[in-house]
Amino acid sequence: MAASLPQRFKVDFDPNSQIFSLAGTIRPRSIDEIAESIHALREAIDTVRGVLYIDVKRLIQMNNTAFQAFIRVALDACRERSDLRLIVITSSVVSWTTRMFRHLSTIEPQISVEVYDSMFYPGQDYFEDTSFIPILRAQTKLTWRHERTILPRHGMRPGIAVADICCGIGDFAVLAQKEFQPSRIVALDHSKPSLAYARKVAAEFGVTGIEYTYGDASEMLLEDNQFDFVSCRHSLQVFNQPELLLKELYRIVKPGGRVYITNEKNSHCLGEPRAQSIQWTYNELARLLSNFEIDVEFGPKSRRYLADTGFDDILVESFMVTNLDGDPQDFADIIAGWEKMFADMAVRHGETPEFIERFRQGFRDHIFAALHPKGYAGWPIWAASGRKPL
Ligand SMILES: C[S@@+](CC[C@H](N)C(=O)[O-])C[C@H]1O[C@@H](n2cnc3c(N)ncnc32)[C@H](O)[C@@H]1O
């Protein structure tokens, strides 16, 4: 059952998962204007046994008239049915909902609140930690040399509307803005420390016009069909449900526009000398991260994922970031950051001290290869894009 109303809000009930969802902006002048939606909530309550989930993750605004009307139905139902539990699913992205519904749960114990994105994917605390910021800085410094020439083939050009979803510290958005002068550029991420850093850097360097946005890429508040070019770099591989992100990227790009993704295949990282030790560590890295539902082998799967989402005209290419791309120390800095972060994850996963020592040694050997006057070290990346059909 779904009812779309003229006030730019959506009410939906999925009886299979017992989820009643409210999304958009609900600002009626009188209850009559939302009578249909109130009735839909009553019906949903009558249908369910046990728990009814009330999903308000995309409820941008609700005025007091609407809030009181929905709440009245919920409170009456709790009084009439002692078996009923109402779990309100909020998101930190729309922070007022958590405050308002938490207050309600103090009045009615059958109602509780779950902030769904407080720990919504297994690697989240690593990627939203400030210690990740220097790694992102070092990575983009080297990947940009390649991407600035690759991007036009994937649809990037001056004057278009661009969104960089899962932007991290926003370096890519700054570089893209300087190089391609888009008419609009939105940079969205769920890491508050990374966004704070991005805003600080932009302010210090006088960069204006980038719309930094706190959001969840799997439940964006951005409207449909807005952007000519949407990028999502190194992030489908870290979020445990990449198909949800792709569905959202597809939704916000205009028909005829392109979605550009980059991902890695870390088991193909390489170096000389000490190739074997390096190879062992990166094979183990892929295995270790799969325990956190992080797929660092995603790169070559890009074509399949884009096709399954509905994109056409898919373009896939790969490039190798190496120690010869510039100052070898830049490459070494990336690997030093990885060693620390991934060794922490190995400890958390309960690996033995012997494993951790050998694991670390592979990263150190990669750094050795990068800094050796005759050495070679590489990190392969897959860049792919697809067009949303007209
Ligand atoms: C490996 S980093 C890549 C960052 C940036 N694109 C870059 O290449 O430097 C992954 C980023 O994805 C973000 N992320 C992961 N899942 C997300 C989600 N569901 N919504 C928004 N951001 C998300 C993380 O906060 C992190 O900043």
Side-chain angles (χ1 to χ4, degrees):
M1 182 196 346
S4 271
L5 294 131
Q7 300 193 52
R8 296 175 41 148
F9 72 91
K10 254 178 111 186
V11 176
D12 187 58
F13 175 54
D14 174 0
N16 289 330
S17 39
Q18 305 206 150
I19 300 177
F20 180 83
S21 47
L22 291 170
T25 299
I26 314 185
R27 304 184 57 82
R29 276 155 301 182
S30 76
I31 297 181
D32 297 345
E33 287 176 33
I34 52 166
E36 204 186 320
S37 309
I38 301 289
H39 179 69
L41 175 59
R42 265 201 211 98
E43 269 197 346
I45 290 173
D46 289 344
T47 312
V48 300
R49 295 280 155 270
V51 177
L52 175 68
Y53 295 93
I54 301 182
D55 176 348
V56 293
K57 293 200 290 280
R58 296 202 207 207
L59 183 55
I60 299 167
Q61 264 187 22
M62 188 187 233
N63 69 5
N64 203 35
T65 306
F67 189 75
Q68 294 303 334
F70 281 107
I71 290 323
R72 188 73 272 139
V73 174
L75 290 175
D76 287 350
C78 290
R79 266 153 221 165
E80 282 158 25
R81 282 182 47 192
S82 57
D83 70 300
L84 184 69
R85 280 188 61 218
L86 300 179
I87 300 183
V88 185
I89 312 290
T90 65
S91 159
S92 69
V93 176
V94 191
S95 54
W96 70 268
T97 52
T98 307
R99 274 197 316 277
M100 294 287 268
F101 288 99
R102 275 240 169 90
H103 175 64
L104 195 66
S105 66
T106 60
I107 301 167
E108 175 49 71
Q110 280 167 250
I111 299 178
S112 55
V113 174
E114 283 176 10
V115 187
Y116 113 105
D117 59 338
S118 54
M119 191 47 72
F120 67 135
Y121 65 96
Q124 186 180 350
D125 51 352
Y126 287 100
F127 297 113
E128 296 190 5
D129 192 276
T130 45
S131 60
F132 192 48
I133 292 173
I135 299 181
L136 292 182
R137 286 236 86 169
Q139 289 185 170
T140 311
K141 193 169 173 189
L142 287 197
T143 54
W144 180 250
R145 288 170 171 267
H146 298 264
E147 288 185 272
R148 65 193 292 248
T149 57
I150 285 174
L151 281 163
R153 291 202 282 279
H154 292 266
M156 178 69 102
R157 58 194 186 280
I160 60 173
V162 172
D164 186 33
I165 305 302
C166 302
C167 65
I169 55 168
D171 279 357
F172 178 80
V174 171
L175 292 163
Q177 194 198 40
K178 274 196 198 141
E179 182 90 11
F180 297 102
Q181 287 107 36
S183 60
R184 179 184 182 198
I185 183 159
V186 171
L188 177 145
D189 203 278
H190 193 272
S191 165
K192 285 184 175 162
S194 287
L195 284 174
Y197 183 86
R199 289 193 180 104
K200 185 170 148 276
V201 170
E204 276 172 12
F205 290 96
V207 176
T208 54
I210 298 176
E211 299 168 43
Y212 293 107
T213 309
Y214 175 62
D216 166 15
S218 65
E219 297 261 2
M220 287 190 277
L221 302 181
L222 297 170
E223 283 174 19
D224 300 357
N225 305 322
Q226 277 194 63
F227 299 97
D228 302 285
F229 182 91
V230 176
S231 51
C232 184
R233 301 170 52 266
H234 303 275
S235 301
L236 295 172
Q237 57 184 45
V238 310
F239 189 70
N240 63 337
Q241 291 175 278
E243 61 288 346
L244 291 187
L245 297 197
L246 280 160
K247 207 170 138 204
E248 281 289 272
L249 303 178
Y250 186 93
R251 184 179 66 73
I252 65 169
V253 75
K254 290 178 190 168
R258 295 188 76 87
V259 165
Y260 166 83
I261 59 176
T262 65
N263 291 284
E264 302 163 52
K265 183 168 174 79
N266 273 353
S267 66
H268 282 204
C269 284
L270 51 82
E272 279 290 347
R274 305 186 181 176
Q276 275 187 346
S277 159
I278 296 167
Q279 185 68 69
W280 183 87
T281 286
Y282 285 99
N283 282 337
E284 289 302 318
L285 176 62
R287 182 194 58 76
L288 172 75
L289 293 188
S290 68
N291 295 303
F292 293 83
E293 297 180 51
I294 298 168
D295 183 5
V296 284
E297 300 291 272
F298 193 101
K301 300 173 193 169
S302 303
R303 184 180 177 205
R304 167 164 63 83
Y305 270 98
L306 287 169
D308 287 350
T309 311
F311 291 101
D312 66 13
D313 191 30
I314 293 167
L315 189 66
V316 183
E317 56 188 304
S318 58
F319 61 90
M320 181 82 85
V321 171
T322 80
N323 59 329
L324 305 182
D325 285 345
D327 183 347
Q329 188 58 49
D330 289 340
F331 191 97
D333 288 347
I334 297 177
I335 311 306
W338 289 356
E339 180 193 340
K340 185 174 176 327
M341 175 169 177
F342 297 137
D344 281 357
M345 291 173 101
V347 172
R348 164 122 61 109
H349 188 246
E351 302 291 346
T352 63
E354 296 73 34
F355 173 92
I356 289 161
E357 186 43 38
R358 189 174 172 194
F359 186 58
R360 279 185 176 276
Q361 190 56 46
F363 291 113
R364 291 178 194 143
D365 288 337
H366 207 193
I367 293 172
F368 182 81
L371 298 179
H372 192 288
K374 295 181 195 166
Y376 182 77
W379 168 37
I381 294 170
W382 272 256
S385 69
R387 180 181 59 186
K388 180 168 173 175
L390 286 165

